[in-house]
């Protein structure tokens, strides 16, 4: 028996098996590489989509923040204009001739007084207020059939007067009148400012 033929056959079979195993391993390695590349490509596409979504959301947030900052800046300017307008109105009212202020405050007093209150005059009202003011107011109240017993009280700050009775007070100074008008207009101003 020739052993060389058998050894040759074993050697050839081993080479063939090794070659087949190598080819199979290379095929599996290629499949794994292709699968890995496909998975990496999917992950890159998902990451790219996420980055685009996050960038769009960040851009939207930044635009909204910029719009809000712009609105706040415009609101600040409008508020400043409103503040200046009311300050100017107050100064113009303070600059009215004393006869006009006296007539204005007499009409305010007659519409607010029921009779019997204490009238506290503002320190800035001394230009138009004199002894005859309360006498004139009491005479007008008496003529209207109301209690004519207004009396002078302590000085207050501002230009105008404050009516006091039984712990209640009605402030009729120019400052409080302008402020109450301003508060009444706040809603209109806010609607105008925020309707943009």
């Amino acid at each position: 028996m020739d052993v060389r033929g058998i050894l040759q056959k074993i050697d050839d079979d081993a080479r063939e098996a090794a070659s087949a195993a190598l080819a199979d391993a290379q095929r599996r390695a290629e499949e794994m590489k292709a699968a890995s590349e496909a998975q990496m490509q999917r992950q890159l596409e998902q990451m790219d989509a996420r980055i685009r979504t996050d960038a769009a959301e960040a851009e939207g947030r930044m635009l909204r923040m910029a719009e809000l900052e712009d609105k706040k800046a415009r609101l600040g300017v409008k508020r400043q204009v409103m503040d200046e307008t009311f300050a100017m109105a107050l100064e113009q009212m303070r600059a009215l001739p004393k006869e006009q202020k006296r007539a204005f405050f007499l009409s305010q007093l007659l519409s607010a007084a029921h009779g019997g209150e204490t009238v506290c005059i503002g320190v800035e009202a001394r230009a138009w207020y004199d002894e005859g003011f309360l006498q004139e107011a009491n005479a007008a109240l008496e003529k209207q059939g109301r209690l004519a017993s207004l009396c002078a009280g302590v000085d207050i700050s501002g230009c105008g007067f404050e009516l006091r009775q039984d712990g209640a007070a009605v402030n009729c100074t120019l400052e409080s009148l302008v402020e109450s008008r301003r508060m009444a207009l706040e809603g209109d101003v806010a609607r105008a400012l925020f309707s943009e």
Side-chain angles (χ1 to χ4, degrees):
M1 193 157 101
D2 190 11
V3 181
R4 273 193 248 159
I6 293 176
L7 288 176
Q8 185 63 40
K9 173 78 172 136
I10 292 173
D11 190 39
D12 288 344
D13 286 347
R15 283 179 200 256
E16 193 177 306
S19 179
L22 182 61
D24 186 50
Q26 285 178 338
R27 181 187 53 77
R28 280 187 287 148
E30 289 295 323
E31 287 174 358
M32 287 173 60
K33 182 180 174 187
S36 177
E37 286 176 353
Q39 184 180 2
M40 275 196 326
Q41 185 61 34
R42 281 193 304 274
Q43 287 176 341
L44 285 172
E45 288 171 0
Q46 289 172 351
M47 194 180 309
D48 186 49
R50 196 170 339 152
I51 288 170
R52 275 191 256 115
T53 301
D54 291 349
E57 289 175 1
E59 181 183 17
R61 279 192 305 272
M62 289 170 64
L63 284 172
R64 286 190 299 278
M65 286 173 52
E67 288 172 359
L68 180 61
E69 288 301 318
D70 181 55
K71 284 182 180 180
K72 282 171 49 179
R74 284 187 282 139
L75 175 62
V77 169
K78 290 176 181 181
R79 283 300 243 187
Q80 183 179 359
V81 168
M82 191 172 80
D83 291 345
E84 291 170 0
T85 301
F86 279 100
M88 191 181 335
L90 181 58
E91 288 308 311
Q92 288 175 349
M93 290 175 75
R94 283 181 174 149
L96 287 172
K98 67 178 184 177
E99 296 80 21
Q100 277 185 282
K101 282 194 269 192
R102 180 185 172 92
F104 171 76
F105 283 115
L106 183 60
S107 71
Q108 291 292 307
L109 180 62
L110 293 175
S111 67
H114 299 289
E117 294 96 341
T118 300
V119 181
C120 301
I121 300 298
V123 292
E124 294 178 35
R126 295 296 174 199
W128 56 264
Y129 175 80
D130 57 23
E131 293 291 324
F133 183 79
L134 284 182
Q135 292 171 357
E136 191 175 339
N138 278 325
L141 287 172
E142 188 173 9
K143 196 174 190 180
Q144 294 173 359
R146 292 191 272 170
L147 184 61
S149 60
L150 298 175
C151 61
V154 298
D155 288 347
I156 61 166
S157 64
C159 181
F161 64 88
E162 184 176 270
L163 282 177
R164 294 180 184 173
Q165 185 176 39
D166 299 328
V170 176
N171 191 321
C172 292
T173 60
L174 291 179
E175 295 79 9
S176 68
L177 294 171
V178 167
E179 187 59 27
S180 68
R181 188 64 186 137
R182 178 187 178 126
M183 297 306 275
L185 292 174
E186 285 286 325
D188 295 336
V189 171
R191 277 189 293 283
L193 294 178
F194 289 110
S195 66
E196 297 176 356

